Amino acid sequence: MKTLNLEPMLKPKSVAIIGASKDPEKVGHVILENYINAGYGGSLYAINKNAAPNEEMLGVKVLRKIGEIRERIDLAVIAVPAPIVPTVLEECGKAKVRTAVVVSGGFAEIGETELQDKLASIARKYNMPTLGPNCLGVMDPRSRIDTLFLPTYKLSRPQVGNVSFVSQSGAVGSTILDLISGEGFGLSKFISYGNAAHVDEVDILNYLMEDGETKVIVMYLEGIKRGKEFIEVAKKVTKKKPVIVLKAGRTSEGMAAAHSHTAALAGNYEAYEAVFRQFGFVISEDISELLHYAKIFSTEPPPLGNKIAIITNGGGAGVLTTDAISASKELVLGEFSKDTILALGKTMPKLVNVRNPLDLAGDADYKRYGTALDLISKDPNIDILIVIALFQTPGADSKTAAALIHFKQSSGKPMAVLSIGASYTEMHKIMMESSGLPVYDSPKAIASSLLKLREYYQYKNRKD
Amino acid sequence: MKTLNLEPMLKPKSVAIIGASKDPEKVGHVILENYINAGYGGSLYAINKNAAPNEEMLGVKVLRKIGEIRERIDLAVIAVPAPIVPTVLEECGKAKVRTAVVVSGGFAEIGETELQDKLASIARKYNMPTLGPNCLGVMDPRSRIDTLFLPTYKLSRPQVGNVSFVSQSGAVGSTILDLISGEGFGLSKFISYGNAAHVDEVDILNYLMEDGETKVIVMYLEGIKRGKEFIEVAKKVTKKKPVIVLKAGRTSEGMAAAHSHTAALAGNYEAYEAVFRQFGFVISEDISELLHYAKIFSTEPPPLGNKIAIITNGGGAGVLTTDAISASKELVLGEFSKDTILALGKTMPKLVNVRNPLDLAGDADYKRYGTALDLISKDPNIDILIVIALFQTPGADSKTAAALIHFKQSSGKPMAVLSIGASYTEMHKIMMESSGLPVYDSPKAIASSLLKLREYYQYKNRKD
């Protein structure tokens, strides 16, 4: 399968921003500003056809044409009006630019298909991987690449991490990227590919499949053009790493809306779903689920089985989580071994009823959590740990959070924390998530995320 | 049906805290402190059997026995060790105390059923509505009543509002109360009734049904003892106001866990669910849903039909929301009338494709939102409005939020906002919610909440 090399786009040594502008209201200005703020360390050039000799913009030298640059450019970011994009792209091709990102809109999405075809044929002629048009472009916090034209006060940038996020839509992409900035897991790559005139989801999956910095792939899809090639890469990628997918147009009404939105044929959802299921994609039906699932895959190892232990400091929350786990059918509560029961009986206060879910009671402090976790995690009848820490209770405080973090670092089994509440809880959530513990705020979210973890690794480990 | 009058418990003119303590680690200290911090304006007494003559505690006069108070006491909050609770309660009865809240644990939940029966028989003997034992007690931000023994830094207190929240479990109760503090809608009453030795869910529903300050009732239930009486009140209450219910023990595993937790028979969930459905309860299956549903019922009027309009500044988000709405089966996208289509065609930019969902595009500013909303809300084919405002887009800012607030105040149709993102979005969410607009952060949450709104009012308006 022919695929495009995206490495120079995500790890460029030299970047030119074409359409850079002095006017702070212009897209070309915001991109240049964000690029500088991101702390990019390679060569950076601003291109503006009306530049005066020796002009500078935000401290960057401005040239009139890409051809004036003496160095070979890895990435050209193009933010000029649609009608002149082909001319600019042609110039890039002639200058042996390695890759291009066209953020400009005004192509197939408003019926200008000819203009878009022209763009695509130039990209192909020069074999120059070109992203877009009508997209937000790319972000890579490691190489400090940021082609987004949205200011950081509107769209917070995520920290460095191992989740790569691919989005067809710019608006949904920016929204989810903004949400990721508030999560404990960080970003490896963000790729918004818009109209997919040249680079499409097949190329992107091929690239991310081999990318050592990417542990989890998250995709927002509206439609797929190269079905056969998609299936080819789908087969391979999920045997290497999880792909969490949210597909718009799941209903006939949504499909009609998607058709009007992107002019891409959304296709029959059942057909997509069949492919996703067959090849072990992690299917999400909502933006919130996308984030819940990304969180668990980002930090947790494969579970060895489906047997859950619930350790809680609130009885009711233990019951609700038992309900959520049991409703999944696949996951079950494990029965503690005789050794575990004996050891818990010796170490827990009398009021603690030794069973699963284990209710440590509202006065449980970090020591009681630590003792229980040590014993239960060693139980061969337990594969996955759910720890409920309600920080409203009298016994819970930052030592409790610290004990969970400490325990996590020595435990080899998947573990997730349920903590529900306002500011005091949020503070501990941040503390735990920044140390690699996945924290959830509802029983349903934690149960569905663990179910996906279990299902994916069952698929991955299946002998074909 | 015999029911207990809870008015003196929620609106007391005089309160005595029995077991008040100087030791900041003691429950009796935290309760007194929270009571004072809440700004309660009635008479307040602290009772401690070891008090010195003329002793004061946090500025409150301390007496040795409830009988020493000359004024009649509306509410006694009892925080003394379980074994002496009956003696103290008997003293309250003799002193003609109107109501009591027993926060102390150590009764049926640890097998001490005789002690609990004793407590109940004293409450009955003096016809003194007694809440608990083993509960958090009550909160009413209007009368500034707060019997919770959890400090405000651990559990933020909600603002004044129209949602009353009833919880059997103290831990789940405190968790949800803490979450409510972060929501735009506020609290009317919080009642945590624990072991329900005397006052139970039937009494509480009877009270809240007639309470003019309560528009919405939210319940977390583990089990019901008086089934027949519950059905009696269930029939009546949902014809007056919505009751959102989360029942623990939905699965057999959860039921077993609930049984161990409260010693109350959780009963067969199918039986509960049948009753809930028959009497128009709004059924929730997760803590997160409880809050989503409370939000919409707190602010929105009854919808006149099931036809939704979606107005968005992000095409993809419009498609995802269309999917979520259509998956509900009951809700549908309305077709704009000819007049609306004509008027939108005249006022919207050419790029805007006039259809439902209406994609105003990423550059839509507050004026474009205002014009579209004015036209669409008058359309007789539209019953409910969903406004998607993605604040990452170039056109959206605080003027957009202000326009939605302004519009809301003149529109008679139910309306909900979808805004997804981090800090910049959160800031606008707070702005909108504090002005009575319900804001959601996922398509699924907004769709399921509007579905519940529609279903409940269909039930309520049904002629029996």
Side-chain angles (χ1 to χ4, degrees):
Chain A
M1 171 170 40
K2 200 174 157 262
T3 188
L4 300 167
N5 178 19
L6 304 183
E7 191 73 3
M9 191 182 284
L10 278 313
K11 303 289 184 193
K13 291 190 181 66
S14 49
V15 175
I17 293 166
I18 308 178
S21 166
K22 277 189 176 171
D23 179 355
E25 295 280 302
K26 287 270 166 71
V27 164
H29 184 93
V30 181
I31 294 177
L32 183 62
E33 201 175 11
N34 288 338
Y35 229 96
I36 293 165
N37 288 342
Y40 173 66
S43 317
L44 182 59
Y45 301 89
I47 311 284
N48 186 305
K49 66 177 166 39
N50 303 317
N54 296 319
E55 186 176 331
E56 285 205 352
M57 211 177 268
L58 299 167
V60 175
K61 202 181 168 190
V62 191
L63 300 170
R64 282 171 179 240
K65 279 178 180 264
I66 189 99
E68 294 176 16
I69 303 173
R70 298 202 179 156
E71 188 178 359
R72 186 162 178 196
I73 293 296
D74 281 342
L75 168 62
V77 183
I78 300 175
V80 299
I84 62 166
V85 166
T87 313
V88 167
L89 199 64
E90 185 82 42
E91 287 169 5
C92 288
K94 281 181 185 157
K96 297 198 191 321
V97 165
R98 283 196 175 86
T99 66
V101 168
V102 182
V103 301
S104 323
F107 295 84
E109 82 279 9
I110 59 157
E112 297 284 350
T113 49
E114 263 185 57
L115 194 65
Q116 183 164 317
D117 290 346
K118 213 165 160 186
L119 179 155
S121 74
I122 297 165
R124 279 194 298 269
K125 183 169 81 181
Y126 292 101
N127 192 25
M128 172 173 57
T130 299
L131 196 71
N134 186 33
C135 74
L136 283 177
V138 294
M139 238 192 94
D140 181 333
R142 280 188 187 80
S143 55
R144 300 181 181 242
I145 297 304
D146 185 340
T147 75
L148 275 58
F149 57 80
L150 297 167
T152 51
Y153 72 81
K154 282 205 154 188
L155 195 165
S156 308
R157 281 9 184 213
Q159 55 177 317
V160 171
N162 59 16
V163 175
S164 283
F165 171 44
V166 185
S167 178
Q168 199 158 354
S169 156
V172 170
S174 62
T175 294
I176 294 175
L177 196 63
D178 196 19
L179 282 178
I180 292 176
S181 75
E183 295 287 338
F185 65 86
L187 187 79
S188 171
K189 316 277 184 297
F190 169 61
I191 305 177
S192 150
Y193 59 101
N195 295 3
H198 190 223
V199 172
D200 66 9
E201 51 280 334
V202 174
D203 303 304
I204 298 168
L205 277 181
N206 264 307
Y207 172 71
L208 293 176
M209 175 168 70
E210 305 294 346
D211 176 34
E213 295 168 355
T214 298
K215 187 182 174 192
V216 184
I217 301 170
V218 172
M219 291 195 96
Y220 170 72
L221 272 180
E222 286 174 349
I224 290 167
K225 284 175 192 168
R226 293 196 286 161
K228 196 168 142 277
E229 288 88 345
F230 184 84
I231 287 174
E232 247 180 273
V233 69
K235 267 183 207 170
K236 290 187 288 178
V237 63
T238 49
K239 286 287 172 183
K240 296 202 171 185
K241 48 188 83 170
V243 182
I244 303 163
V245 67
L246 173 63
K247 166 84 176 63
R250 288 186 297 119
T251 60
S252 55
E253 295 83 355
M255 226 148 71
H259 183 63
S260 139
H261 170 49
T262 55
L265 202 63
N268 181 294
Y269 184 68
E270 282 73 30
Y272 279 105
E273 211 190 358
V275 171
F276 294 153
R277 284 198 193 286
Q278 186 180 352
F279 300 115
F281 280 63
V282 179
I283 300 174
S284 158
E285 296 192 342
D286 198 41
I287 289 175
S288 58
E289 291 175 5
L290 213 59
L291 288 148
H292 294 153
Y293 302 162
K295 187 187 296 202
I296 202 86
F297 281 103
S298 169
T299 58
E300 297 314 295
L304 295 178
N306 65 343
K307 294 193 288 304
I308 309 263
I310 300 175
I311 296 121
T312 181
N313 63 349
V319 177
L320 291 172
T321 307
T322 302
D323 278 337
I325 286 295
S326 305
S328 81
K329 307 294 177 197
E330 166 60 22
L331 301 175
V332 298
L333 287 198
E335 276 192 36
F336 293 150
S337 72
K338 278 180 188 169
D339 287 353
T340 305
I341 291 171
L342 212 66
L344 284 171
K346 277 182 194 163
T347 50
M348 291 293 116
K350 272 192 184 169
L351 285 181
V352 172
N353 187 353
V354 176
R355 63 191 304 284
N356 190 7
L358 186 69
D359 183 359
L360 300 177
D363 64 341
D365 65 358
Y366 70 101
K367 286 181 199 160
R368 202 180 297 166
Y369 268 102
T371 308
L373 278 169
D374 275 335
L375 293 170
I376 292 168
S377 65
K378 286 178 195 131
D379 192 319
N381 292 351
I382 298 300
D383 305 305
I384 298 170
L385 299 160
I386 294 181
V387 184
I388 304 175
L390 303 178
F391 285 93
Q392 294 85 10
T393 55
D397 55 26
S398 58
K399 279 193 175 162
T400 308
L404 300 187
I405 292 166
H406 181 76
F407 168 77
K408 168 72 186 170
Q409 282 151 0
S410 65
S411 153
K413 293 179 180 175
M415 168 174 166
V417 177
L418 179 67
S419 288
I420 313 172
S423 54
Y424 190 71
T425 299
E426 273 301 313
M427 162 185 135
H428 290 105
K429 185 189 163 183
I430 291 167
M431 179 179 160
M432 292 187 280
E433 290 215 325
S434 63
S435 301
L437 258 178
V439 183
Y440 289 86
D441 64 0
S442 94
K444 215 172 185 172
I446 206 167
S448 64
S449 302
L450 289 172
L451 176 64
K452 294 292 181 182
L453 189 75
R454 164 71 176 159
E455 287 178 341
Y456 169 71
Y457 283 107
Q458 276 189 299
Y459 168 85
K460 192 185 175 195
N461 297 330
R462 202 185 298 154
K463 302 271 179 299
D464 293 312
Chain B
M1 173 170 41
K2 202 176 155 263
T3 188
L4 299 167
N5 179 20
L6 304 183
E7 191 73 3
M9 191 182 285
L10 277 312
K11 302 290 183 192
K13 291 190 182 66
S14 48
V15 175
I17 294 167
I18 307 178
S21 165
K22 276 188 176 171
D23 178 355
E25 294 280 303
K26 287 272 166 71
V27 163
H29 184 93
V30 180
I31 294 177
L32 183 62
E33 200 174 12
N34 287 339
Y35 228 98
I36 293 165
N37 287 342
Y40 173 65
S43 317
L44 181 60
Y45 301 90
I47 311 283
N48 186 304
K49 67 177 168 36
N50 303 316
N54 296 320
E55 186 177 332
E56 286 204 352
M57 209 177 270
L58 300 168
V60 174
K61 202 182 170 190
V62 190
L63 301 171
R64 284 171 176 238
K65 279 179 180 263
I66 189 102
E68 293 176 17
I69 303 173
R70 296 198 182 161
E71 185 179 0
R72 187 164 177 191
I73 293 296
D74 281 342
L75 167 63
V77 182
I78 300 175
V80 299
I84 62 165
V85 165
T87 313
V88 166
L89 199 63
E90 184 82 42
E91 287 170 5
C92 289
K94 281 182 186 156
K96 295 197 190 325
V97 165
R98 283 196 176 87
T99 67
V101 168
V102 181
V103 301
S104 322
F107 293 85
E109 82 279 9
I110 60 157
E112 297 285 350
T113 48
E114 262 184 56
L115 195 65
Q116 184 164 317
D117 289 346
K118 213 164 158 185
L119 180 156
S121 74
I122 296 165
R124 279 194 299 269
K125 182 169 83 180
Y126 292 101
N127 193 26
M128 172 173 57
T130 299
L131 197 71
N134 185 33
C135 74
L136 283 176
V138 294
M139 238 192 93
D140 181 332
R142 281 188 186 80
S143 55
R144 301 183 178 240
I145 298 303
D146 184 341
T147 74
L148 276 58
F149 57 81
L150 298 167
T152 50
Y153 71 81
K154 282 206 154 188
L155 195 165
S156 309
R157 281 9 184 212
Q159 56 177 315
V160 171
N162 59 16
V163 176
S164 283
F165 171 44
V166 185
S167 177
Q168 199 157 357
S169 155
V172 170
S174 63
T175 294
I176 295 175
L177 197 62
D178 196 19
L179 282 178
I180 292 177
S181 76
E183 294 287 340
F185 65 86
L187 187 78
S188 171
K189 317 276 184 298
F190 169 60
I191 305 177
S192 151
Y193 61 99
N195 296 3
H198 191 224
V199 172
D200 66 8
E201 50 280 334
V202 174
D203 302 305
I204 297 168
L205 277 182
N206 264 307
Y207 172 70
L208 293 175
M209 175 168 70
E210 305 294 346
D211 177 33
E213 294 167 358
T214 298
K215 187 182 172 192
V216 184
I217 300 170
V218 172
M219 290 193 97
Y220 169 73
L221 272 180
E222 287 175 346
I224 290 167
K225 286 175 190 167
R226 293 195 286 161
K228 197 170 141 275
E229 289 86 347
F230 185 83
I231 288 175
E232 247 179 273
V233 68
K235 268 184 208 170
K236 289 188 289 179
V237 63
T238 49
K239 285 289 172 182
K240 294 203 171 184
K241 49 187 82 169
V243 181
I244 303 163
V245 66
L246 172 64
K247 166 82 176 66
R250 287 186 295 119
T251 60
S252 55
E253 295 83 353
M255 227 148 71
H259 183 63
S260 141
H261 170 49
T262 54
L265 201 64
N268 181 294
Y269 184 67
E270 283 73 31
Y272 279 104
E273 211 190 357
V275 170
F276 294 153
R277 285 200 193 286
Q278 185 180 352
F279 299 115
F281 281 62
V282 179
I283 300 174
S284 158
E285 295 192 342
D286 198 41
I287 289 175
S288 58
E289 291 176 5
L290 214 60
L291 288 148
H292 294 152
Y293 302 162
K295 188 187 295 204
I296 202 88
F297 281 103
S298 169
T299 57
E300 296 314 294
L304 294 177
N306 65 342
K307 296 192 288 302
I308 309 262
I310 299 174
I311 297 120
T312 182
N313 62 349
V319 177
L320 291 173
T321 307
T322 302
D323 278 338
I325 285 296
S326 305
S328 81
K329 306 296 178 196
E330 166 61 22
L331 301 175
V332 297
L333 287 198
E335 276 193 36
F336 293 150
S337 71
K338 279 180 188 169
D339 287 354
T340 305
I341 292 171
L342 212 68
L344 284 170
K346 277 181 194 163
T347 50
M348 292 293 116
K350 272 192 184 168
L351 286 181
V352 172
N353 187 352
V354 176
R355 63 190 304 285
N356 189 8
L358 185 70
D359 183 359
L360 301 177
D363 64 340
D365 64 357
Y366 70 102
K367 286 182 199 159
R368 203 181 296 166
Y369 268 102
T371 308
L373 277 169
D374 274 334
L375 292 170
I376 292 168
S377 65
K378 285 178 195 133
D379 192 319
N381 291 352
I382 298 301
D383 304 306
I384 299 170
L385 299 159
I386 294 180
V387 184
I388 304 175
L390 303 178
F391 284 94
Q392 293 85 11
T393 55
D397 55 25
S398 58
K399 278 192 175 163
T400 309
L404 300 188
I405 292 167
H406 181 76
F407 168 76
K408 168 70 186 171
Q409 281 151 0
S410 65
S411 152
K413 292 180 180 175
M415 167 173 168
V417 177
L418 179 67
S419 288
I420 312 173
S423 54
Y424 190 70
T425 299
E426 273 301 314
M427 161 185 135
H428 290 105
K429 184 189 162 183
I430 292 168
M431 179 179 160
M432 291 187 280
E433 289 214 325
S434 63
S435 302
L437 258 176
V439 183
Y440 290 86
D441 63 2
S442 94
K444 216 171 184 173
I446 206 168
S448 64
S449 302
L450 289 172
L451 175 65
K452 294 292 181 181
L453 189 76
R454 164 72 176 158
E455 287 178 341
Y456 169 70
Y457 283 108
Q458 275 188 298
Y459 169 85
K460 191 184 174 194
N461 298 329
R462 202 185 298 152
K463 300 273 180 299
D464 294 310

